[in-house]
Amino acid sequence: MPEAFRVTSNAEKYVLEADALRRRQLRSALLYGSSRFWRRKQRVWPAVVFGVIIVAVVCAVIALIGAFERQQEVNEERGRTPMGVSQTEQGNGAS
């Protein structure tokens, strides 16, 4: 027990204990954030998992679009018509 608590009266002792408690609370608020209940911190991992999924979907869409465009270029190089366009439509459009 600190020296200040041993030599003081009960009223002063309670004031000093309250001050010490307030300092501990302020210190823990500084360390753990301004939340009133620092043990009830929200978990971050669900947001991280959701973010990783979103990034993966965006990357997959970009890769799919790039692959589709590259396949169209390969088809044009080989002289194939794009899907859905017949030989007569292609010939009429080229005139």
Side-chain angles (χ1 to χ4, degrees), residues 35-84:
S35 172
R36 186 173 184 142
F37 302 104
W38 64 270
R39 291 178 193 244
R40 293 185 188 174
K41 293 176 81 174
Q42 290 189 356
R43 293 192 166 75
V44 176
W45 67 267
V48 171
V49 169
F50 185 71
V52 168
I53 290 171
I54 294 295
V55 168
V57 168
V58 169
C59 290
V61 167
I62 291 171
L64 186 65
I65 291 171
F68 182 74
E69 290 175 357
R70 179 69 183 135
Q71 186 62 43
Q72 284 186 335
E73 291 173 5
V74 168
N75 288 346
E76 288 175 6
E77 289 174 2
R78 292 182 181 171
R80 293 183 183 168
T81 60
M83 291 185 74

Side-chain angles (χ1 to χ4, degrees), residues 6-26:
R6 281 189 228 141
V7 294
T8 57
S9 67
N10 281 341
E12 291 176 0
K13 180 179 176 182
Y14 295 141
V15 169
L16 290 173
E17 286 177 353
D19 185 56
L21 176 64
R22 185 181 59 84
R23 287 180 189 270
R24 283 196 309 270
Q25 288 174 336
L26 289 174

